């Protein structure tokens, strides 16, 4: 096998076979064995999978988890074993949830990959045989027919009406007609190499044979797989924010503990006692419930999203869609239905939209094959009869997508193929080929209307031929046009104007013509049969947008998210679909760019334009990756949706990759963080809404945890400086943390979305968790809690009551429960929201209140929690003081509402 000097598509069949050291009879078995040893198996090399043990251990690498483990160890060292046990239970729960989600996702992907085709029909030494596709080698001759998955990259050496669905690789919305001829241009995009076949694509129609040019990782599919494996995991916004939060919190904890320890030593207190105070503060400062609450909130969100047809592979992805500023979406099957449909027809000088047929005769009978004054009926009859598509027993259409669309259009208007064939049987045909771009069928007419026969029209016509195909090919062979007034000379300018207008609307135009015969032609050559035709009409087809796509795009734009189409399809088709769904406006100059134009730009030039471009057409896989990188370099969070193999590297690189569950390839699913089970772009909008709700709620319970822990810190930190004893013992600190930080915080994650959730812009990509006043709120409310608690402590001690610590303990607990009710919304009052709008939160607050009272009034728990029963008067004082924070936060929201424009 010699090294080729030109691309495979630029070689003739003879030259390609010579380069491959092969022939139409294939190579010998001995030669195949040698080449297999040289090139390796025809398989994609997968990266090493994580073992279940590695998955589980990976759950303990988060910084906050490590801080919690350290806190548990310290608690154990100083004898607080209950603290150690409680913290470790939380850590293990977090790890179990994370492991479960990741393990199930990996198993699901393994099951999907097992569905790939495994065999190929290969010709070796002149004999066809079926072998495992993994054993194909360069130079093998492979035979293909409709339904086969192409097992390797090939140069076509034989093609009979061969069409291939390459949507997974190139983004083309309809099957591509293939041929064996040499292509003159060397630098052709993948989608335009009509004499090549690529691994992973599907034969839609016809049959053919090809010489294998590349196998395994050397194929186009393998090249994409290699690109995919080069992309590292990108941290989600939530992971970045929580990591930043953990670092800042740890520094704050270390600083506070150091100050308390130093101050205690300077005052001459015992080192051990000061150390216990510092450790108590550390325990109070670390929101040990945070990792568990975040994980549970994301898991609950993932569960809810499955019901909305979005399967989450990686838990943090639940929130990520709420952060994206750009959604880069594929066109075929994502924004469109991935099926050809007749959108418009032009017959008898009239334009007929697909959903209307006003004023057009729709007669179907035994003489429908020949109605010279009824061009509409003849047009529909031609769509049904000059067609190899058919209905199966379940009522589904089987066949080439173009022919299926034409058959469906006729069927919807009452022109049934089976009924028509009874009186207009096919007696001959000239199959479609890619050179003449035409197909002709000849039918014997067994009934002619008496009115026509008596008028002397058609009395001798017993045969009729219908020819359909590319517009230029039809128009060149049609000197006549059929009208309701009979056959007339065709005026090409008028017909061309109609064709151009339909093409500008993104429609694929098919011409339909006819010719009548006195007898079956003895010469069935195309040069004889496909001349002297009468044009009946034109059919304009397209892959229509999904019904929900335009609304979904509009919602994205309302939410401040920029949708961008990235497709391998034709620029005109891409532009039309983009305008139909609202991605591109007509008054947006420069909003579209092709792959070749993009290739001519430097990265710097491209980054200057990237934020103004809305449509990318005819792009290569590596260019999709470039687009995502450029947007990320400009500071955006990027979501990439897609279903094809060509989408996989960009799916992996994007901040969140969203693949299609029905039409998506295994490679795309493996690369993605989320899978749309219904392949519907509208599901992305639901996911965005859910992601924003979840992030809002994550912020709420972080605000809650940070504020309540801040209250504990200020209380413990300031007490010694006010000459007061340590307000709480370690078991009380832990109880408050578990009681108030647990169920109420988790219930906050179930809070319904706020009314403006899809009317505000995305969060700035660099926004901190403390942004929009969260940090300030945590500080002033924490200080307010201390301002309520410490004077109470001083007053109760001053009055000589022994159970001052129980009152401080209970007030601090109830202050936090009042706070959680007040922060359910950033601006809305609790009274406007209603207590029952989040029933789990109300139940948890009532339950926690009851549990706190149990620790105060149940005798055997008094010894455990170092508490004493309170009198009725003392309890009333506690309840009154506990409402102060709730009232203050409601006042803060009132001020925010007053400032709102």
């Amino acid at each position: 096998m010699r090294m080729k000097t030109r691309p495979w598509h630029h070689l003739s069949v003879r030259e390609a076979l010579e380069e491959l050291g092969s022939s139409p009879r294939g190579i010998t078995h001995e030669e195949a064995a040698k080449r297999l040893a040289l090139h390796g198996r025809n398989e994609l090399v997968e990266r090493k999978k994580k073992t279940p043990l590695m998955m589980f251990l990976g759950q303990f690498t988060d910084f906050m988890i490590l801080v919690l483990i350290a806190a548990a160890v310290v608690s154990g060292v100083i004898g607080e074993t209950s603290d150690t046990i409680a913290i470790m239970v939380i850590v293990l729960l977090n790890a179990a949830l994370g492991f479960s989600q990741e393990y199930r996702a990996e198993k699901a992907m393994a099951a999907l990959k097992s569905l790939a085709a495994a065999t190929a029909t290969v010709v070796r030494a002149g004999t066809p045989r079926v072998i495992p596709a993994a054993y194909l080698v360069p130079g093998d001759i492979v035979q293909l027919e409709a339904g086969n998955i192409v097992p390797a990259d090939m140069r076509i050496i034989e093609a009979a009406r061969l069409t291939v669905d390459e949507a997974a690789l190139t983004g083309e919305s309809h099957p591509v007609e293939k041929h064996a001829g040499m292509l003159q241009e060397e630098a052709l995009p993948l989608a335009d190499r009509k004499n090549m076949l690529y691994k992973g694509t599907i034969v839609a129609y016809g049959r053919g044979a090809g010489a294998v040019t590349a196998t395994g990782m050397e194929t186009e599919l393998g090249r994409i797989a290699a690109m995919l494996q080069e992309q590292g995991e990108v941290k989600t916004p939530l992971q970045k924010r929580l990591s930043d939060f953990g670092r800042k919190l740890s520094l704050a904890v270390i600083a506070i503990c150091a100050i308390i320890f130093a101050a205690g030593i300077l005052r001459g207190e015992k080192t051990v006692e000061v150390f216990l105070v510092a450790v108590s503060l550390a325990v109070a400062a670390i929101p040990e419930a945070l990792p568990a609450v975040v994980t549970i909130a994301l898991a609950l969100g993932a569960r809810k999203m499955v019901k909305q047809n979005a399967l989450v592979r990686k838990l943090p992805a639940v929130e990520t869609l709420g952060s994206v500023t750009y959604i880069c979406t594929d066109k075929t099957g994502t924004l469109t239905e991935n099926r050809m449909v007749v959108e418009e027809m032009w017959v008898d000088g009239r334009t007929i939209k697909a959903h209307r047929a006003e004023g057009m005769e729709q007669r179907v009978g035994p003489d429908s094959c020949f109605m010279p004054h009824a061009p509409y009926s003849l047009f529909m009859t031609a769509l049904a009869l000059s067609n190899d598509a058919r209905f199966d027993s379940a009522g589904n259409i089987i066949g080439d997508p173009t022919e299926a669309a034409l058959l469906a259009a006729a069927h919807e208007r009452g022109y049934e193929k089976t009924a028509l064939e009874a009186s207009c049987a096919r007696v001959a045909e000239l199959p479609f080929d890619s050179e003449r771009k035409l197909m002709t069928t000849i039918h014997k007419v067994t009934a002619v209307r008496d009115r026509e026969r008596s008028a002397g029209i058609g009395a001798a016509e017993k045969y009729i031929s219908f020819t359909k195909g590319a517009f230029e090919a039809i128009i060149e062979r049609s000197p006549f046009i059929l009208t309701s007034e009979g056959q007339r000379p065709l005026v090409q300018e008028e017909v061309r104007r109609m064709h151009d207008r339909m093409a500008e609307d993104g429609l694929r135009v098919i011409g339909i013509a006819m010719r009548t015969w006195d007898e079956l032609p003895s010469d069935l050559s195309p040069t004889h049969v496909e001349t002297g035709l009468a044009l009946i009409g034109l059919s304009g087809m397209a892959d229509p947008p999904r019904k929900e796509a335009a609304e979904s795009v509009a919602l994205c734009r309302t939410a401040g998210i920029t949708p961008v189409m990235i497709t391998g399809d034709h620029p005109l088709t891409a532009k039309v679909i983009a305008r139909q769904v609202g991605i591109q406006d007509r008054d947006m100059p420069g909003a579209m760019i092709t792959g070749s134009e993009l290739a001519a730009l430097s990265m710097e030039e491209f980054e200057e334009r990237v934020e103004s471009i809305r449509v990318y057409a005819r792009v290569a896989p590596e260019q999709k990756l470039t687009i995502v990188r450029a947007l990320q370099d400009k500071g955006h969070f990027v979501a990439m949706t897609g279903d094809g193999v060509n989408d996989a590297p960009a799916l992996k690189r994007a901040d969140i990759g969203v693949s299609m569950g029905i039409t998506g390839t295994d490679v795309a699913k493996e690369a993605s963080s989320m899978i749309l089970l219904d392949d519907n772009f509208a599901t992305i909008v639901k996911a965005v809404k859910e992601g924003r709700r979840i992030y809002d709620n994550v912020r709420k319970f972080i605000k809650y945890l940070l504020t309540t822990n801040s209250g504990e810190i200020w209380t413990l930190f300031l007490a010694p400086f006010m000459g007061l004893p340590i307000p709480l013992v370690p078991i009380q600190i832990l109880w408050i943390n578990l009681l108030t930080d647990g169920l109420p915080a988790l219930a906050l994650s179930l809070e319904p979305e706020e009314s403006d959730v899809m009317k505000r812009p995305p969060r700035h990509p660099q926004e901190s968790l403390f942004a929009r006043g969260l940090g300030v709120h945590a500080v002033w409310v924490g200080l307010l809690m201390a301002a309520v608690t410490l004077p109470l402590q001083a007053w109760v001690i001053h009055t000589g009551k022994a159970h001052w610590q129980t009152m401080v303990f209970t007030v601090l607990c109830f202050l936090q429960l009042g706070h959680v009710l007040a922060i359910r919304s950033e601006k809305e009052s609790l009274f406007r929201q209603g207590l029952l709008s989040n029933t789990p939160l109300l139940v948890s607050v009532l339950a926690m209140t009851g549990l706190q009272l149990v620790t105060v009034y149940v005798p055997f728990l008094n010894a455990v929690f170092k508490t004493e029963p309170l009198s009725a008067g003392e309890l009333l004082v506690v309840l009154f003081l506990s409402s102060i924070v709730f009232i203050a936060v409601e006042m803060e929201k009132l001020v925010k509402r007053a400032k709102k424009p």
Side-chain angles (χ1 to χ4, degrees), residues 784-802:
L784 180 59
M785 289 181 180
V788 171
T789 305
L790 292 176
L792 172 66
Q793 179 184 0
W795 174 72
V796 177
I797 292 174
H798 179 72
T799 59
K801 294 181 180 179

Tab-separated table of all heavy atoms in Angstrom, residues 784-802:
chain	number	residue	atom	x	y	z
A	784	LEU	N	-27.086	40.746	64.483
A	784	LEU	CA	-28.375	40.980	65.139
A	784	LEU	C	-28.724	39.821	66.071
A	784	LEU	O	-29.238	40.027	67.180
A	784	LEU	CB	-29.478	41.170	64.095
A	784	LEU	CG	-30.898	41.438	64.631
A	784	LEU	CD1	-30.912	42.695	65.497
A	784	LEU	CD2	-31.891	41.552	63.483
A	785	MET	N	-28.441	38.586	65.621
A	785	MET	CA	-28.691	37.428	66.492
A	785	MET	C	-27.863	37.527	67.772
A	785	MET	O	-28.358	37.258	68.877
A	785	MET	CB	-28.355	36.128	65.748
A	785	MET	CG	-29.333	35.769	64.650
A	785	MET	SD	-28.883	34.210	63.844
A	785	MET	CE	-30.188	34.073	62.630
A	786	ALA	N	-26.596	37.909	67.610
A	786	ALA	CA	-25.738	38.075	68.794
A	786	ALA	C	-26.247	39.222	69.665
A	786	ALA	O	-26.200	39.148	70.909
A	786	ALA	CB	-24.297	38.332	68.357
A	787	ALA	N	-26.750	40.291	68.999
A	787	ALA	CA	-27.261	41.450	69.741
A	787	ALA	C	-28.513	41.110	70.527
A	787	ALA	O	-28.827	41.772	71.525
A	787	ALA	CB	-27.547	42.597	68.773
A	788	VAL	N	-29.249	40.102	70.093
A	788	VAL	CA	-30.421	39.650	70.846
A	788	VAL	C	-29.997	38.665	71.934
A	788	VAL	O	-30.478	38.731	73.077
A	788	VAL	CB	-31.447	38.977	69.897
A	788	VAL	CG1	-32.569	38.308	70.696
A	788	VAL	CG2	-32.018	40.000	68.921
A	789	THR	N	-29.089	37.781	71.611
A	789	THR	CA	-28.721	36.677	72.510
A	789	THR	C	-27.859	37.135	73.692
A	789	THR	O	-28.131	36.767	74.850
A	789	THR	CB	-27.976	35.585	71.716
A	789	THR	OG1	-28.773	35.174	70.614
A	789	THR	CG2	-27.675	34.394	72.601
A	790	LEU	N	-26.825	37.925	73.424
A	790	LEU	CA	-25.879	38.281	74.492
A	790	LEU	C	-26.506	39.166	75.575
A	790	LEU	O	-26.271	38.933	76.773
A	790	LEU	CB	-24.637	38.934	73.887
A	790	LEU	CG	-23.766	37.987	73.047
A	790	LEU	CD1	-22.621	38.741	72.398
A	790	LEU	CD2	-23.227	36.834	73.896
A	791	PRO	N	-27.303	40.183	75.229
A	791	PRO	CA	-27.976	40.939	76.302
A	791	PRO	C	-28.920	40.069	77.126
A	791	PRO	O	-29.039	40.262	78.346
A	791	PRO	CB	-28.753	42.016	75.531
A	791	PRO	CG	-27.969	42.204	74.275
A	791	PRO	CD	-27.475	40.835	73.920
A	792	LEU	N	-29.583	39.109	76.443
A	792	LEU	CA	-30.438	38.178	77.178
A	792	LEU	C	-29.597	37.385	78.178
A	792	LEU	O	-29.979	37.219	79.359
A	792	LEU	CB	-31.148	37.230	76.210
A	792	LEU	CG	-31.924	36.073	76.856
A	792	LEU	CD1	-33.112	36.611	77.665
A	792	LEU	CD2	-32.394	35.070	75.800
A	793	GLN	N	-28.439	36.902	77.716
A	793	GLN	CA	-27.551	36.147	78.596
A	793	GLN	C	-27.126	36.995	79.799
A	793	GLN	O	-27.182	36.541	80.955
A	793	GLN	CB	-26.321	35.673	77.817
A	793	GLN	CG	-25.324	34.887	78.685
A	793	GLN	CD	-24.062	34.508	77.898
A	793	GLN	OE1	-23.934	34.828	76.731
A	793	GLN	NE2	-23.141	33.843	78.568
A	794	ALA	N	-26.727	38.228	79.503
A	794	ALA	CA	-26.277	39.111	80.591
A	794	ALA	C	-27.401	39.391	81.579
A	794	ALA	O	-27.191	39.395	82.813
A	794	ALA	CB	-25.752	40.418	79.991
A	795	TRP	N	-28.605	39.631	81.050
A	795	TRP	CA	-29.744	39.956	81.922
A	795	TRP	C	-30.134	38.776	82.805
A	795	TRP	O	-30.362	38.922	84.004
A	795	TRP	CB	-30.928	40.386	81.056
A	795	TRP	CG	-32.186	40.610	81.848
A	795	TRP	CD1	-32.453	41.653	82.697
A	795	TRP	CD2	-33.322	39.750	81.897
A	795	TRP	NE1	-33.690	41.522	83.264
A	795	TRP	CE2	-34.258	40.343	82.784
A	795	TRP	CE3	-33.656	38.538	81.277
A	795	TRP	CZ2	-35.490	39.771	83.063
A	795	TRP	CZ3	-34.891	37.977	81.535
A	795	TRP	CH2	-35.788	38.577	82.422
A	796	VAL	N	-30.191	37.576	82.195
A	796	VAL	CA	-30.598	36.396	82.956
A	796	VAL	C	-29.562	36.077	84.028
A	796	VAL	O	-29.907	35.748	85.177
A	796	VAL	CB	-30.814	35.181	82.028
A	796	VAL	CG1	-31.162	33.941	82.835
A	796	VAL	CG2	-31.929	35.466	81.019
A	797	ILE	N	-28.252	36.190	83.684
A	797	ILE	CA	-27.207	35.952	84.686
A	797	ILE	C	-27.316	36.991	85.799
A	797	ILE	O	-27.165	36.679	86.995
A	797	ILE	CB	-25.813	35.988	84.035
A	797	ILE	CG1	-25.632	34.782	83.099
A	797	ILE	CG2	-24.708	35.999	85.081
A	797	ILE	CD1	-24.349	34.808	82.306
A	798	HIS	N	-27.607	38.245	85.418
A	798	HIS	CA	-27.710	39.320	86.404
A	798	HIS	C	-28.855	39.092	87.398
A	798	HIS	O	-28.736	39.430	88.578
A	798	HIS	CB	-27.907	40.659	85.680
A	798	HIS	CG	-28.048	41.823	86.618
A	798	HIS	ND1	-26.983	42.328	87.342
A	798	HIS	CD2	-29.129	42.586	86.965
A	798	HIS	CE1	-27.393	43.331	88.071
A	798	HIS	NE2	-28.699	43.516	87.873
A	799	THR	N	-29.942	38.477	86.883
A	799	THR	CA	-31.094	38.208	87.757
A	799	THR	C	-30.865	36.994	88.630
A	799	THR	O	-31.707	36.662	89.469
A	799	THR	CB	-32.371	38.006	86.920
A	799	THR	OG1	-32.163	36.898	86.030
A	799	THR	CG2	-32.715	39.257	86.139
A	800	GLY	N	-29.760	36.274	88.385
A	800	GLY	CA	-29.416	35.152	89.250
A	800	GLY	C	-30.098	33.852	88.885
A	800	GLY	O	-30.060	32.905	89.681
A	801	LYS	N	-30.687	33.763	87.701
A	801	LYS	CA	-31.347	32.519	87.299
A	801	LYS	C	-30.297	31.525	86.808
A	801	LYS	O	-29.413	31.868	86.019
A	801	LYS	CB	-32.383	32.783	86.219
A	801	LYS	CG	-33.547	33.638	86.744
A	801	LYS	CD	-34.582	33.870	85.654
A	801	LYS	CE	-35.727	34.725	86.208
A	801	LYS	NZ	-36.753	34.999	85.190
A	802	ALA	N	-30.462	30.275	87.248
A	802	ALA	CA	-29.439	29.258	86.957
A	802	ALA	C	-29.506	28.748	85.520
A	802	ALA	O	-28.487	28.295	84.977
A	802	ALA	CB	-29.591	28.089	87.932
